[in-house]
Amino acid sequence: MQSYVCNFTETDRSMLATVGGKGANLGELSRIDGIHVPPGFCVTTAAFRQVVHSSPEVSRLLDELAALPSQDHAAIAEQAARIRREIEQLPIPADIREAVTRQLKGMAATSVAVRSSATAEDLPTASFAGQQDTFLNVIGIAAVLEHISKCWASLFTERAVIYRIQQGFDHRKVQLAVVIQQMVFPEAAGILFTADPVTGNRKTVSVDAGFGLGEALVAGLVNADNYKISQGVIVGRKISVKQLGIFPENNGGTRQQAIATERQKATVLTDVQLLALEQLGRQIEAHFGQPQDIEWCLAGGTFYIVQSRPITTLFPIPATNDDQFHAFISVGHQQMMTDAMKPLGLSLFQLTTQRPMYEAAGRLFVDIAPDLAVPARRAMLTGVLGKSDPLIKDALHTLLQRPEFSTDKEETGVHPMHDYSVKIEYDPHLVGTLIAANEAANAQLKEEIKGKQGVELIDFILAHIPGSAKVLFDPQTLNVIVTAMNAATWLNEHIQEWLGDKNVADTLTQSVPDNVTSEMGLALMNVADVIRHYPEVVSFLERTTSENFLAQLPSLPGGAESAAAITDFLEKYGMRCAGEIDLTKTRWAENPAILLPMILNNIRNFEPGAAARKFEQGLKAATDKEKEILERLRQLPDGEAKAEETKRMIQLVREYSGFREFPKYSIIKRNFYYKQALMAEAARLQQAGVIKEAMDIFYLSFQELREAIESQRVDPSLIDQRKTAFLQYEKLTPPRVMTSDGEVITGRYTRENIPENAIVGLAVSSGVVEGRARVIHDLAEARLETGDILVTAFTDPSWTPVFVGIKGLVTEVGGLMTHGAVIAREYGLPAVVGVENATKLIRDGERIRVNGTDGFIEVL
């Protein structure tokens, strides 16, 4: 027999499908000693199914809703309104009415709250809170039954329907229970967060409070008082002017009412009440095992809890095995790739690093608390990171004011510190020698890994990684890169001091030798030059959606030549892709179709031979600038000495800057050889029935993969669990700096003489340019025209082919020596990076001005 009602005392979190998120959580709360929950019951999802799902008309309307395009909000809103009207007029069967009536009579409550409780509500991975309706102070059985129907209908508000579409929830699979709860008429009510929702600090409780019912806060009608409490101490207090409140009407329902003038500026809660609320919050948080968003009300001196749900927006704290204070910096912000990574990619990255890294939400972090405690390391870190990313530098300065860093510690030498002030002398053979050593090591790997399979393959890779590191991380590699950085800094500082010219290194580093990444962008322009001569090939490439298009090309006139040009490009650069530091990302060689939009952009936007001309133009600009600077310097007092030292620095910056991109190219090439062998092993595991699909290995660490191969067993629920977690991780934005308390430390730019309303960032490539902003989130969507300005979250080397056709660059992530900045300077593109929320502040298609000299953007 169907159970249509269920008392709070009979429900718990295992009953989500029966009583919805709100009902399940209220049942849990009712079980916690010392937590007061107004009594009540749930009208279960069985009642919803009996009334709503059994209606042929609702089913027909749902089919029509599913057929609508997700972008057509107007049509969705209209269809959702039809569904609501239909549900509200459906009759409630007698057995459901009787069950509800019995429970109401047993409660002995004259007034109740009728609240929606969806099965996709208040989940650990998504918050559907507030999307269905709540009705307060409902009096009488007939009114309760009417409002149950209204709650069912509210599952199809426009907002709820669109949110489910965005989150990928099936409308038919989301059902609604209804909570009927004894009404509390409070003097005050509000929301309690057991972690600071702004900073993420897990040790700080945040309380919003207002007079009357809490709906005034939820609806945004009033400015609430806000209090911050940390471990029994009130650390923040903001008393607002509270002009309105929501209060119950005698005959049912609620009304807005003005707060008496003398109470408007009064504090809602006393210190004793705040500390009591903190303790209740911590008790509830401990029960649920994660930070909570709690609705409370205060009546007759007692706190009542009317809801608790997980806070889904907090970035998880990197996992450590101790209770010490840690200061984490994001690895992704240094690598220009802040997307979530899958476990196999994380595992490989951790195996190749020279110091421990900590994982959270598919991202990696380094703990720099021990370094910040040592004066010499502190100075080095803030200097090097600050030069690269001023937002991190400012965040670290904020962090250093904390008591954890009030006492200096001595050097331990656990992680040797590189000399970042080094400027080695120019050696014409050094870069060539380093490149040759890397290429030889990768050629050797390509041969040695052939034929390896099973546990032998995993053990070979695990043994190869530390050996390859000796070549990849040869001390001279970093010396070359750091020397180029320091020479560029020297030139910018001294030439501005002597001649008044800003950022001259930006021009002097155009078209430098040995830059494998900028050469890649020009090489793809040459591929376009081959293809542009064959109209049938161009037409085919514009239409095709096949990953296997290369095999189809030879049947067309010029197809063999076109296929050969693309294949030659892939031979050198096919290991690259967007987000390439994650081994699990699809490489160009694995799906060459990813390159087609960039090749077609080059055909549309450039004349034949543009690659060579672009390089020559950059080389001429750099050569002319060098000549001009040296001539002007010689006119100054002590000019010959100044010119001589400047010439030496120009040589260092030109001959060594290009090498900056090579170590990563070599690492990605090595990792691709690993991946090819691992995917062959994955195919064997799939064939043996150990995994469902080859890409399931992406959700295992290296060690777990080894165990799977050895035992020929994988727990499929582990793979499914990690796939679900990864989808949630993708929605989170990693912070640059955070502490082991969960606090996100944000940095700010401190600059003067910036135009009003300008968007501020870090100037990394000089020049001022105006153009159409193209806000691009996915490289595969990059349809750019000459003169466009690219606005995106981050760029790694795979974006380089796009750079050849744009006019300027704006990114949310980046620093002076990160990929986008290096290539922008080489191509002579004005660029501003580290622009917080650039892809939200700038709209696609807007005309903007990018000032890459002073570091700001203006929307025109």
Side-chain angles (χ1 to χ4, degrees):
M1 181 181 165
Q2 295 269 35
S3 176
Y4 294 126
V5 294
C6 190
N7 197 286
F8 288 171
T9 57
E10 301 166 330
T11 65
D12 58 36
R13 69 183 95 182
S14 70
M15 299 173 67
L16 177 72
T18 304
V19 298
K22 191 176 276 111
N25 288 350
L26 283 166
E28 288 287 332
L29 289 163
S30 299
R31 287 173 160 71
I32 307 174
D33 286 342
I35 301 297
H36 298 282
V37 177
F41 64 96
C42 300
V43 181
T44 67
T45 52
F48 175 84
R49 287 193 301 273
Q50 176 69 15
V51 177
V52 178
H53 280 189
S54 61
S55 163
E57 180 61 13
V58 171
S59 183
R60 184 186 69 77
L61 292 169
L62 282 174
D63 288 340
E64 291 176 0
L65 176 63
L68 293 173
S70 60
Q71 302 82 12
D72 192 346
H73 286 197
I76 289 170
E78 194 176 321
Q79 187 69 7
R82 288 194 196 100
I83 295 170
R84 289 198 304 277
R85 285 194 296 271
E86 178 61 26
I87 292 172
E88 284 188 35
Q89 59 86 39
L90 289 173
I92 297 178
D95 50 352
I96 298 175
R97 289 202 312 270
E98 288 165 9
V100 170
T101 301
R102 276 196 305 273
Q103 285 285 339
L104 283 170
K105 287 179 177 176
M107 276 174 63
T110 56
S111 171
V112 295
V114 181
R115 310 169 75 196
S116 305
S117 179
T119 54
E121 175 183 64
D122 301 340
L123 302 181
T125 55
S127 180
F128 291 72
Q131 292 188 10
Q132 285 81 49
D133 288 342
T134 287
F135 302 96
L136 301 179
N137 196 27
V138 179
I139 298 172
I141 292 170
V144 171
L145 291 169
E146 178 191 342
H147 285 89
I148 288 171
S149 292
K150 288 181 182 290
C151 282
W152 288 339
S154 73
L155 190 60
F156 294 96
T157 62
E158 179 187 356
R159 179 185 168 206
V161 167
I162 289 172
Y163 189 74
R164 283 199 295 275
I165 291 170
Q166 291 169 343
Q167 297 293 322
F169 281 84
D170 186 334
H171 298 302
R172 292 181 188 275
K173 289 183 179 173
V174 180
Q175 300 174 36
L176 199 81
V178 178
V179 167
I180 313 290
Q181 190 171 25
Q182 182 175 318
M183 193 67 197
V184 174
F185 300 112
E187 300 94 53
I191 300 163
L192 159 67
F193 296 96
T194 64
D196 190 317
V198 178
T199 69
N201 194 328
R202 308 306 200 265
K203 289 184 177 176
T204 300
V205 160
S206 179
V207 177
D208 287 343
F211 294 120
L213 292 163
E215 295 307 296
L217 273 64
V218 174
L221 292 174
V222 297
N223 293 321
D225 286 358
N226 178 258
Y227 310 90
K228 307 277 187 186
I229 309 107
S230 180
Q231 299 173 300
V233 178
I234 298 166
V235 295
R237 194 191 310 263
K238 176 175 170 270
I239 308 302
S240 299
V241 178
K242 299 164 286 293
Q243 296 177 326
L244 283 176
I246 291 181
F247 296 90
E249 287 275 25
N250 291 334
N251 299 321
T254 60
R255 70 179 188 283
Q256 289 184 28
Q257 180 179 310
I259 304 294
T261 307
E262 65 274 12
R263 296 186 68 210
Q264 289 182 5
K265 296 182 182 178
T267 181
V268 174
L269 297 174
T270 67
D271 289 4
V272 171
Q273 288 169 335
L274 286 168
L275 298 181
L277 205 48
E278 182 198 24
Q279 291 304 310
L280 290 174
R282 291 293 177 221
Q283 192 178 353
I284 293 167
E285 178 184 65
H287 179 85
F288 285 105
Q290 66 186 106
Q292 296 288 299
D293 165 357
I294 299 164
E295 294 175 24
W296 58 269
C297 50
L298 178 65
T302 298
F303 281 111
Y304 292 91
I305 305 300
V306 293
Q307 180 53 325
S308 185
R309 63 179 69 88
I311 305 175
T312 59
T313 54
L314 295 174
F315 195 87
I317 302 170
T320 58
N321 297 320
D322 57 56
D323 294 326
Q324 295 180 7
F325 180 82
H326 299 274
F328 300 106
I329 59 166
S330 161
V331 173
H333 283 82
Q334 310 307 307
Q335 291 291 330
M336 292 293 280
M337 209 293 276
T338 55
D339 286 350
M341 294 168 65
K342 297 185 180 81
L344 192 67
L346 290 167
S347 180
L348 176 66
F349 200 97
Q350 287 170 300
L351 287 167
T352 60
T353 57
Q354 295 176 304
R355 63 184 288 169
M357 290 189 175
Y358 301 88
E359 187 182 329
R363 279 74 166 197
L364 293 171
F365 295 82
V366 174
D367 176 25
I368 59 167
D371 303 271
L372 292 176
V374 178
R377 286 179 176 272
R378 182 191 310 146
M380 180 274 291
L381 259 180
T382 53
V384 172
L385 289 175
K387 189 182 289 186
S388 171
D389 187 340
L391 292 176
I392 285 186
K393 182 177 184 178
D394 189 60
L396 292 182
H397 281 307
T398 300
L399 195 57
L400 287 168
Q401 308 307 311
R402 304 292 167 84
E404 287 85 0
F405 300 107
S406 58
T407 305
D408 291 343
K409 294 182 180 176
E410 293 187 7
E411 175 66 65
T412 61
V414 176
H415 305 296
M417 189 166 60
H418 191 85
D419 179 9
Y420 282 91
S421 63
V422 69
K423 278 202 284 281
I424 59 174
E425 291 303 313
Y426 173 60
D427 176 348
H429 307 294
L430 180 54
V431 169
T433 301
L434 290 170
I435 289 174
N438 276 272
E439 293 286 58
N442 275 326
Q444 185 180 347
L445 166 63
K446 187 179 181 182
E447 291 305 311
E448 289 180 351
I449 205 168
K450 282 179 182 173
K452 299 275 192 304
Q453 59 179 277
V455 170
E456 182 194 10
L457 169 64
I458 304 298
D459 290 344
F460 170 81
I461 293 173
L462 291 173
H464 184 267
I465 287 168
S468 68
K470 292 175 184 172
V471 177
L472 284 166
F473 302 116
D474 182 315
Q476 284 289 68
T477 293
L478 194 53
N479 283 342
V480 168
I481 294 168
V482 172
T483 294
M485 287 170 60
N486 290 334
T489 301
W490 188 97
L491 285 165
N492 285 337
E493 289 175 353
H494 284 78
I495 300 306
Q496 183 165 2
E497 180 189 342
W498 293 335
L499 299 176
D501 292 8
K502 278 177 140 180
N503 304 338
V504 293
D506 294 356
T507 305
L508 294 167
T509 50
Q510 289 185 40
S511 298
V512 295
D514 301 315
N515 189 322
V516 70
T517 305
S518 62
E519 288 167 3
M520 176 177 72
L522 299 176
L524 200 63
M525 293 174 76
N526 291 331
V527 171
D529 279 355
V530 173
I531 296 170
R532 74 171 72 246
H533 298 298
Y534 306 110
E536 289 182 56
V537 172
V538 174
S539 177
F540 168 75
L541 294 181
E542 286 174 335
R543 296 191 319 272
T544 186
T545 55
S546 170
E547 293 184 10
N548 197 33
F549 74 92
L550 276 175
Q552 300 165 32
L553 277 178
S555 64
L556 300 170
E561 294 86 344
S562 300
I566 295 171
T567 302
D568 287 347
F569 178 86
L570 291 172
E571 188 63 34
K572 184 167 185 180
Y573 303 111
M575 81 295 288
R576 311 217 85 151
C577 69
E580 63 190 10
I581 63 169
D582 181 358
L583 181 79
T584 70
K585 295 272 191 179
T586 302
R587 310 285 136 176
W588 292 341
E590 294 171 321
N591 179 13
I594 298 169
L595 292 171
L596 291 182
M598 292 181 275
I599 293 171
L600 293 168
N601 280 344
N602 287 343
I603 292 171
R604 281 192 296 268
N605 297 334
F606 295 105
E607 296 296 321
R613 287 194 299 276
K614 189 173 185 66
F615 186 84
E616 288 304 319
Q617 285 166 1
L619 185 60
K620 184 176 186 304
T623 306
D624 289 351
K625 190 67 176 175
E626 177 180 5
K627 183 180 176 184
E628 175 217 321
I629 286 170
L630 295 178
E631 285 176 356
R632 288 166 64 196
L633 285 173
R634 290 189 179 105
Q635 310 305 313
L636 301 177
D638 203 18
E640 281 300 329
K642 286 173 178 167
E644 195 60 33
E645 183 64 0
T646 299
K647 189 171 183 179
R648 186 173 78 86
M649 291 297 169
I650 292 173
Q651 183 180 47
L652 288 175
V653 86
R654 282 202 59 77
E655 299 299 330
Y656 283 171
S657 286
F659 181 69
R660 158 72 178 77
E661 293 290 305
F662 189 83
K664 189 172 188 181
Y665 169 83
S666 188
I667 290 168
I668 299 303
K669 194 173 194 178
R670 176 200 68 180
N671 290 355
F672 187 50
Y673 293 141
Y674 292 163
K675 185 180 185 184
Q676 288 174 307
L678 289 168
M679 292 314 291
E681 189 61 36
R684 287 187 284 272
L685 288 173
Q686 183 184 14
Q687 196 170 9
V690 178
I691 52 179
K692 291 178 190 172
E693 51 191 19
M695 287 189 289
D696 283 352
I697 69 165
F698 295 164
Y699 297 92
L700 299 171
S701 70
F702 258 82
Q703 191 56 43
E704 289 169 338
L705 179 56
R706 189 186 189 282
E707 290 165 8
I709 294 167
E710 196 166 38
S711 67
Q712 291 292 290
R713 274 200 318 275
V714 171
D715 178 1
S717 67
L718 176 69
I719 303 288
D720 291 342
Q721 176 191 331
R722 288 183 177 171
K723 286 180 178 179
T724 301
F726 181 75
L727 291 175
Q728 170 61 9
Y729 297 160
E730 286 187 301
K731 299 171 189 172
L732 298 175
T733 302
R736 283 177 166 80
V737 181
M738 77 183 300
T739 73
S740 47
D741 294 334
E743 183 179 7
V744 174
I745 312 290
T746 54
R748 289 181 176 80
Y749 291 106
T750 50
R751 292 219 299 279
E752 298 174 357
N753 303 320
I754 298 294
E756 191 178 355
N757 299 323
I759 303 166
V760 183
L762 174 64
V764 294
S765 185
S766 291
V768 179
V769 67
E770 292 181 12
R772 179 181 68 157
R774 290 307 320 277
V775 181
I776 306 291
H777 297 283
D778 182 351
L779 186 56
E781 299 170 359
R783 305 292 191 275
L784 296 159
E785 296 176 10
T786 303
D788 283 346
I789 296 170
L790 174 62
V791 181
T792 189
F794 59 81
T795 64
D796 61 9
S798 68
W799 288 74
T800 303
V802 171
F803 281 29
V804 297
I806 59 174
K807 201 172 181 182
L809 174 69
V810 178
T811 67
E812 295 180 342
V813 177
L816 270 173
M817 289 308 292
T818 48
H819 158 265
V822 172
I823 303 303
R825 288 194 290 272
E826 173 144 352
Y827 285 168
L829 297 174
V832 182
V833 304
V835 183
E836 299 262 71
N837 298 312
T839 58
K840 297 184 181 74
L841 296 171
I842 299 167
R843 290 198 296 272
D844 187 53
E846 282 185 324
R847 190 163 182 79
I848 62 173
R849 180 185 297 126
V850 175
N851 187 320
T853 306
D854 295 314
F856 61 86
I857 305 103
E858 295 172 278
V859 178
L860 301 177

